[in-house]
Amino acid sequence: MNLPQIKAELLSGECIPRIIGREHMLCSAVLIPLILTEEEPLILFQRRSAQIRQGGEICFPGGRFDKEKDSDFKMTALRETCEEIGIQAEKVEILGSPGTLVTPLNVLVQPYLGILNINGLSDLSANEEEVEELFTLSLSWFAENSPQEYRLPIKAHPFSENQLTGDRECHFPTRELDLPERYQTPWEGENRHRIWAYSTPQGLLWGITAQILVEILPLLMKD
């Protein structure tokens, strides 16, 4: 694992063009935490506590950008990581970001790759209100276990109907705007949304977390 090369490649893409409409998106940042051992690098994951949103799911530490607390997304990733896994900021070395992820549900996620300068999980103290457990998976595990890939159609719905009353709620007045007939009913584009899922010993790892992994793993596994 060539860390200088990885850092150089990540930093080379830091001048990211402005994303139009970002102020209307749910913006968040996560850390892809690496623990370097004598045997091989490990990736740290956390399982969300059952009582919070998306409880029980596997993810990276991170959370929403807070303009009152964070000067940039990197600070968001670092702040949330420290709060969630109980590590001091000076023990986290952020190498850079592989890019920006914008989902079909108007969520922006800025991931950062970072090294945790710790001896092991015993050096961490998970925030029980947000984190049920911490665990690691090795790079060799990912090399030997490919994800399943699924493709979902994404549809735009100009209206929705209440299943109980039958009332229709208009979201986009296509008839009043005199748009073509094809927009009077739900429509979809040619491209489908890709979803990746890894079946790990700790459970299903999927969605945004898996999509970020699919992007970053080739870089981590370079000779």
Side-chain angles (χ1 to χ4, degrees):
M1 188 177 186
N2 190 327
L3 287 177
Q5 180 184 357
I6 291 173
K7 188 169 184 178
E9 290 198 28
L10 293 176
L11 293 177
S12 68
E14 286 214 338
C15 295
I16 302 171
R18 179 178 179 273
I19 296 174
I20 295 175
R22 191 182 80 175
E23 63 273 16
H24 304 300
M25 299 178 184
L26 192 162
C27 296
S28 60
V30 300
L31 185 74
I32 309 163
L34 290 178
I35 301 175
L36 305 182
T37 70
E38 293 182 0
E39 292 78 22
E40 64 173 319
L42 306 175
I43 303 177
L44 176 75
F45 298 93
Q46 62 187 35
R47 188 185 309 280
R48 296 170 66 86
S49 293
Q51 65 267 23
I52 65 174
R53 185 173 174 270
Q54 295 178 303
E57 295 193 11
I58 296 171
C59 64
F60 294 123
R64 292 190 183 189
F65 171 78
D66 187 332
K67 63 181 180 181
E68 301 297 328
K69 300 178 181 179
D70 307 324
S71 59
D72 54 28
F73 288 134
K74 185 185 296 186
M75 185 175 290
T76 303
L78 182 60
R79 174 179 57 79
E80 289 283 350
T81 296
C82 293
E83 291 176 3
E84 292 176 1
I85 70 174
I87 189 172
Q88 296 174 329
E90 55 267 27
K91 292 186 177 181
V92 181
E93 179 187 354
I94 296 182
L95 302 179
S97 175
T100 303
L101 172 63
V102 178
T103 77
L105 298 181
N106 223 25
V107 175
L108 182 151
V109 183
Q110 190 71 46
Y112 290 90
L113 181 67
I115 296 173
L116 306 186
N117 292 308
I118 59 175
N119 295 317
L121 294 184
S122 60
D123 290 347
L124 304 176
S125 178
N127 181 342
E128 295 182 358
E129 293 184 0
E130 298 186 57
V131 180
E132 180 179 314
E133 69 168 325
L134 300 172
F135 65 89
T136 59
L137 291 170
S138 65
L139 288 186
S140 60
W141 186 91
F142 286 104
E144 297 166 1
N145 295 271
S146 299
Q148 293 292 319
E149 182 181 337
Y150 306 91
R151 300 191 180 193
L152 298 183
I154 303 296
K155 288 190 176 183
H157 293 262
F159 62 85
S160 60
E161 292 184 355
N162 187 305
Q163 295 183 352
L164 296 178
T165 66
D167 294 336
R168 176 179 289 194
E169 179 182 358
C170 179
H171 307 296
F172 184 46
T174 54
R175 292 190 185 279
E176 289 82 348
L177 295 172
D178 198 28
L179 292 178
E181 185 65 28
R182 66 180 179 274
Y183 298 118
Q184 309 305 324
T185 57
W187 70 88
E188 62 182 83
E190 295 182 4
N191 291 331
R192 295 197 169 196
H193 176 49
R194 294 186 179 188
I195 294 179
W196 286 270
Y198 291 91
S199 295
T200 80
Q202 285 77 21
L204 189 69
L205 190 167
W206 71 291
I208 289 175
T209 304
Q211 187 171 358
I212 293 172
L213 277 172
V214 167
E215 182 71 23
I216 196 69
L217 283 171
L219 177 59
L220 296 180
M221 293 179 181
K222 279 186 177 180
D223 293 334

